[in-house]
Amino acid sequence: MQRKDIALIRARVHAIHPDHKKVETDAGDVSYDKLVVATGAAMRPSEIPGLQEHALTLWTPEDML
């Protein structure tokens, strides 16, 4: 990513200002050309009946092994 001049910043976002291409984070304000916001995911297989019992999942390190 460094060769492509891409920065990965892990921080809590407080505000995104697309008109000014700026993000306010716990790590300070960040200006950007392109912005990708990855919010993560929380898996809740119990919300889909039968999924937990019948699906092959890769949601935890134990499942991956």
Side-chain angles (χ1 to χ4, degrees), residues 44-46 48-59 63:
R44 295 184 295 271
S46 59
I48 301 173
L51 181 64
Q52 199 163 11
E53 297 82 22
H54 303 290
L56 175 62
T57 65
L58 299 175
W59 296 335
D63 291 338

Side-chain angles (χ1 to χ4, degrees), residues 9-10 17 21-23 27 30-31 34-36 42 46-48 51 56 58:
I9 300 169
R10 289 183 169 190
H17 305 285
K21 292 191 170 190
K22 186 175 281 189
V23 179
V30 179
S31 297
K34 305 278 185 199
L35 176 66
V36 175
S46 59
E47 292 183 2
I48 301 173
L51 181 64
L56 175 62
L58 299 175

Side-chain angles (χ1 to χ4, degrees), residues 16-38:
I16 299 174
H17 305 285
D19 293 338
H20 297 99
K21 292 191 170 190
K22 186 175 281 189
V23 179
E24 295 176 26
T25 76
D26 284 345
D29 290 354
V30 179
S31 297
Y32 64 88
D33 295 319
K34 305 278 185 199
L35 176 66
V36 175
V37 178

